[in-house]
């Protein structure tokens, strides 16, 4: 009987050792990537289906699944709901999101109480959200951005600029107005579809559209392009598409201060460990540098980038402070 018990005890110890070794391997995997590969990763999408944020998240998600073997649960929500869901999640790295400028604009204008600097953990500053194309009706009284500025200065508040009541494009035009010393007449035109229709019909004089739509509508003779707005130092050649001089960024056209930081950021809940955040940041470097992910982001008009934690925080703060300044200029600051 004692012999049987001894054998059973040895077997139990051996099984415990094997189990512990297996657990150790899992821990090592998690430790290397920062992800808990035994759990489903919830990737919150704070935006509409088929939009730039949605497409970017799913492109990165494919890389996360392929490179790290993660199982992903995509949660599609409206901006504010998505931001709140991440804010209230457990700080274990199992819930993250890709956020855009809307996180800042909604907070500083008072439409959301999620403070991007205090209520979340910044994991990485990633791809630039791409180019904002300035499009006008074909019969607009200006053919270049320089002519547009001259006309705007000579005719304050006479140019109807289509934009949301308080969205990213509102802040883009606000920055241009403050930098250039011009005054536009803000006309509510929230969706890109509405802006394209109103530009083609001559109901608004200028609006922001995507690079792809600008090209197709220009080719059809429904609008003309006078320039693009992008991040600091970005050129139109960075798009990888051969385009005419009218697509050059405003900086390339000589307006050095006419740029808009519109980055994508990976956030998690407040309270995540510094060690895990550092490892997640490094893992997203692998994602961005993966050829398939990199090409996929470029195809949707984004500029793939990665920044370490120190640089990510600097960029985050610069974008946030610019948003505050522009909100005050527009009379939308609510804090």
């Amino acid at each position: 009987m004692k012999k049987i018990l001894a054998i059973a005890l040895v077997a139990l110890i051996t099984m415990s050792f094997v189990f512990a070794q297996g657990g150790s391997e899992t821990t090592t995997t998690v430790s290397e990537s920062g992800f808990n590969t035994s759990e489903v990763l919830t990737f919150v999408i704070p935006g509409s289906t088929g939009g730039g944020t949605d497409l970017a998240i799913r492109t990165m998600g494919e890389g996360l699944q392929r490179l790290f073997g993660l199982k992903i649960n995509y949660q599609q929500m409206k901006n504010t709901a998505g931001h709140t869901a991440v804010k209230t999640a457990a700080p274990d790295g199992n819930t993250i999101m890709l956020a855009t400028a809307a996180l800042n604009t909604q907070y500083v204008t008072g439409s959301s109480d999620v403070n991007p600097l205090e209520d979340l953990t910044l994991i990485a500053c990633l791809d630039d959200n791409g180019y904002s194309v300035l499009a006008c009706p074909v019969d607009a009284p200006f053919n270049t951005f320089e002519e547009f500025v001259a006309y705007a200065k000579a005719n304050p508040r006479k140019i109807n600029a289509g934009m949301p009541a308080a969205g990213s494009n509102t802040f883009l035009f606000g920055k241009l107005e403050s930098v250039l010393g011009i005054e536009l007449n803000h006309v509510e035109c929230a969706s890109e579809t509405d802006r394209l229709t109103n530009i083609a019909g001559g109901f608004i004089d200028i609006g922001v559209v995507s690079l792809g739509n600008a090209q197709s509508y220009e080719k059809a003779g429904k609008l003309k392009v006078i320039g693009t707005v992008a991040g600091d130092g970005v050129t139109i050649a960075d798009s990888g598409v051969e385009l005419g001089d009218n697509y050059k960024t405003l900086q390339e056209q000589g307006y050095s201060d006419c740029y808009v930081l519109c980055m994508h950021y990976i956030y998690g809940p407040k309270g995540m460990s510094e060690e895990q955040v550092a490892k997640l940041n490094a893992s997203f470097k692998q994602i961005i540098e993966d050829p398939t992910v990199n090409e996929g982001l470029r195809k949707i008009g984004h500029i793939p980038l990665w920044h370490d934690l120190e640089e990510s925080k600097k960029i985050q703060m610069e974008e946030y402070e610019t948003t505050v300044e522009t909100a005050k200029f527009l009379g939308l600051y609510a804090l």
Side-chain angles (χ1 to χ4, degrees):
M1 183 69 177
K2 288 182 179 179
K3 186 175 181 180
I4 293 173
L5 288 173
I7 292 172
L9 182 60
V10 169
L12 180 61
I13 292 171
T14 302
M15 288 176 64
S16 299
F17 177 76
V18 171
F19 180 80
Q21 287 291 90
S24 176
E25 289 177 3
T26 302
T27 302
T28 300
T29 302
V30 172
S31 176
E32 289 173 352
S33 69
F35 292 105
N36 186 349
T37 54
S38 65
E39 299 287 339
V40 175
L41 176 69
T42 296
F43 210 152
V44 175
I45 305 173
S48 58
T49 303
T53 304
D54 179 33
L55 295 175
I57 286 175
R58 294 181 190 276
T59 300
M60 292 179 193
E62 183 279 327
L64 290 170
Q65 291 172 306
R66 177 165 41 82
L67 296 182
F68 301 117
L70 296 176
K71 295 179 181 179
I72 300 178
N73 170 35
Y74 296 104
Q75 284 196 357
Q76 194 106 33
M77 303 180 183
K78 290 187 176 180
N79 280 326
T80 305
H83 302 158
T84 302
V86 177
K87 172 185 175 180
T88 56
D92 53 13
N94 294 334
T95 301
I96 61 173
M97 72 173 169
L98 187 71
T100 65
L103 179 62
N104 290 331
T105 58
Q106 290 180 354
Y107 178 66
V108 303
T109 58
S111 61
S112 169
D113 63 357
V114 180
N115 185 331
L117 303 181
E118 297 181 4
D119 296 334
L120 302 167
T121 297
L122 177 64
I123 295 171
C125 172
L126 298 181
D127 66 320
D128 189 299
N129 206 19
Y131 302 87
S132 298
V133 181
L134 298 175
C136 311
V138 292
D139 61 352
F142 36 81
N143 296 305
T144 65
F145 187 73
E146 183 179 13
E147 291 178 3
F148 163 79
V149 174
Y151 188 88
K153 287 183 176 180
N155 300 276
R157 300 187 64 81
K158 293 289 180 65
I159 295 178
N160 294 320
M163 65 189 80
S168 298
N169 290 337
T170 314
F171 280 74
L172 182 152
F173 277 118
K175 171 137 190 211
L176 294 184
E177 287 179 277
S178 64
V179 168
L180 298 168
I182 61 177
E183 293 181 80
L184 303 173
N185 182 37
H186 295 198
V187 177
E188 186 163 354
C189 204
S191 74
E192 182 168 346
T193 301
D194 287 343
R195 290 194 293 276
L196 287 165
T197 300
N198 281 282
I199 291 169
F203 301 111
I204 59 175
D205 302 310
I206 191 169
V208 171
V209 301
S210 66
L211 198 58
N213 279 331
Q215 292 173 80
S216 60
Y217 272 69
E218 182 186 45
K219 186 176 181 179
K222 295 182 178 180
L223 56 74
K224 59 186 175 186
V225 173
I226 61 172
T228 55
V229 184
D232 191 13
V234 175
T235 68
I236 196 62
D238 293 327
S239 69
V241 181
E242 194 170 329
L243 297 163
D245 287 348
N246 58 320
Y247 282 86
K248 284 186 175 180
T249 67
L250 302 189
Q251 284 191 322
E252 290 180 280
Q253 295 188 43
Y255 299 88
S256 60
D257 292 329
C258 290
Y259 67 90
V260 174
L261 286 177
C262 193
M263 310 299 286
H264 273 150
Y265 300 88
I266 297 291
Y267 284 100
K270 180 180 179 179
M272 293 177 63
S273 77
E274 292 183 5
E275 181 182 5
Q276 183 180 32
V277 171
K279 289 172 180 177
L280 289 172
N281 177 275
S283 291
F284 271 101
K285 183 176 189 289
Q286 288 182 251
I287 295 299
I288 292 297
E289 292 180 350
D290 176 76
T292 302
V293 174
N294 198 285
E295 182 183 0
L297 291 172
R298 290 187 184 280
K299 282 184 176 178
I300 60 175
H302 293 188
I303 304 168
L305 300 167
W306 170 85
H307 300 275
D308 63 26
L309 278 171
E310 183 179 359
E311 188 67 19
S312 292
K313 289 175 182 177
K314 287 181 181 178
I315 295 170
Q316 176 204 36
M317 184 57 69
E318 182 182 355
E319 184 170 343
Y320 178 81
E321 289 176 346
T322 300
T323 302
V324 169
E325 291 174 9
T326 306
K328 289 178 178 178
F329 173 82
L330 293 168
L332 297 174
Y333 187 67
L335 298 181

